[in-house]
Amino acid sequence: RPGIMIELVPGAATFVGVEIGVEHISIVEIDLASKIVVNRAVAFDGAGTGVEAAVERAVKMAFADFPPERLQRCEGLGIAVPAQMDRHGCVRVAPLLGWENVQLADLVRAALPFPVPVVAENDANAFAIGATYGGSEPHSGVTLFLVMESGVGGGIVVNGSLFRGAHGLAGEIGHLRIEGVAGPARSLEDVLGLECILARHRETTAQIDPTFQTFLGEVRDRVPGAVAIAEDWARALAYGVIQACRIIDADRIVLGGSVAELYPLMAARVTHHIQAMQEASFPLPGIETNNDQTIGPAFGAACMAHQRYLS
């Protein structure tokens, strides 16, 4: 008999992804076909807000515009935060948010206006899941995903599957200690993160509160102070990429987050530093930026809820 073609009805179910960041809350809603229905973000002082208040605000924001009929079709919520987390949604520590020993998934369930499955994940792992979710082409090889905001988080995908490691901390190169790369010994994210860049930029400019876009403009215009900061950033990124690749032998690095906008301006310098720091026999990984702004931790968190439902 001839086959009967069938397909999913996209509007039959909906899934929500939430990212609680240091400076923003992002919400993404996807349908049963994993297509984005809603995508929005608001500024947020994560470090100055307690965990309960942050979760309550994020949940209210996620469902603020849901009509009753769409609430009934919601089949899951995923939440992503910049934190060290275990497989059960427990935050061991989130230094940039000031959280410690938080049962995040349970807090979200308690704040929800109706019962729905909840999954929680580190923001970099969620970003990696979202960036490789769906599509007609299978994802092969080893990819390191880096989310660069106030801090730096990493997620590793091997042949399409997320590699979490024994404690869910695989890929967290932002906590690598560096010495002699850009000043005194510190962690990698202390050089690559947004707060460090802006703090150093304030020291070299007469502006009271320069923005990251202002900094990027000065790098493009080759302003010496901004270029010096960007050069330290490029050297530190090269160092981190080399250390990670000697362990996981990644063939691709994908940069996400707001600070990733700096990479196209410094790509040649990053390549130069990688070549100068490592043996010539080792291959250079391909480095690219995530140009689709919707493919972030919130989208990945929604994909996790979608994946759970289909499983």
Side-chain angles (χ1 to χ4, degrees):
R1 295 180 181 180
I4 300 174
M5 300 300 292
I6 63 173
E7 62 182 15
L8 296 173
V9 178
T14 187
F15 308 86
V16 175
V18 177
E19 177 198 4
I20 300 178
V22 179
E23 299 175 337
H24 64 270
I25 292 177
S26 299
I27 304 294
V28 171
E29 179 190 344
I30 63 175
D31 61 20
L32 189 55
S34 70
K35 302 301 182 183
I36 293 175
V37 178
V38 173
N39 179 31
R40 63 181 184 274
V42 297
F44 177 66
D45 179 15
T49 307
V51 57
E52 291 86 358
V55 168
E56 183 178 354
R57 179 172 178 183
V59 169
K60 285 184 177 180
M61 179 180 166
F63 297 102
D65 300 324
F66 261 58
E69 62 274 12
R70 204 152 93 238
L71 278 177
Q72 296 176 0
R73 296 197 299 272
C74 183
E75 296 291 348
L77 180 144
I79 184 164
V81 294
Q84 296 181 22
M85 303 177 64
D86 66 17
R87 295 174 179 270
H88 307 291
C90 175
V91 174
R92 297 189 187 94
V93 60
L96 297 176
L97 293 174
W99 301 356
E100 189 172 353
N101 297 323
V102 174
Q103 293 290 344
L104 182 60
D106 291 343
L107 283 179
V108 173
R109 292 187 189 96
L112 285 169
F114 58 96
V116 65
V118 174
V119 289
E121 185 57 272
N122 164 274
D123 61 343
N125 283 345
F127 169 62
I129 290 170
T132 56
Y133 196 71
S136 57
E137 296 289 333
H139 297 276
S140 61
V142 180
T143 304
L144 173 64
F145 292 87
L146 296 179
V147 178
M148 297 187 290
E149 293 285 354
S150 296
V152 177
I156 301 170
V157 172
V158 181
N159 293 329
S161 297
L162 180 69
F163 176 69
R164 288 186 171 87
H167 305 95
L169 302 177
E172 291 294 339
I173 72 169
H175 294 276
L176 281 175
R177 303 297 293 178
I178 58 176
E179 185 173 1
V181 175
R186 56 184 126 175
S187 71
L188 194 63
E189 69 179 8
D190 287 339
V191 182
L192 298 180
L194 180 62
E195 291 181 358
C196 174
I197 292 173
L198 293 181
R200 291 187 63 190
H201 191 215
R202 279 192 292 269
E203 296 174 358
T204 61
T205 180
Q207 301 178 53
I208 297 175
D209 192 19
T211 66
F212 187 62
Q213 293 303 316
T214 301
F215 169 73
L216 290 177
E218 292 188 8
V219 174
R220 293 188 189 96
D221 295 339
R222 310 306 295 171
V223 176
V227 170
I229 297 170
E231 176 68 11
D232 285 344
W233 182 90
R235 189 182 298 110
L237 178 59
Y239 176 85
V241 166
I242 289 171
Q243 303 311 309
C245 286
R246 294 295 64 79
I247 302 299
I248 65 172
D249 191 21
D251 49 12
R252 192 166 69 115
I253 313 289
V254 178
L255 308 179
S258 59
V259 182
E261 289 188 65
L262 179 57
Y263 177 74
L265 302 177
M266 302 301 294
R269 296 302 298 163
V270 173
T271 300
H272 166 77
H273 289 304
I274 291 176
Q275 291 173 329
M277 290 179 190
Q278 74 173 13
E279 294 291 336
S281 59
F282 287 110
L284 290 173
I287 303 178
E288 61 191 70
T289 57
N290 173 43
N291 295 319
D292 190 341
Q293 296 301 314
T294 64
I295 307 299
F299 175 74
C303 291
M304 290 170 58
H306 181 269
Q307 186 179 50
R308 182 189 185 281
Y309 176 77
L310 295 182
S311 296

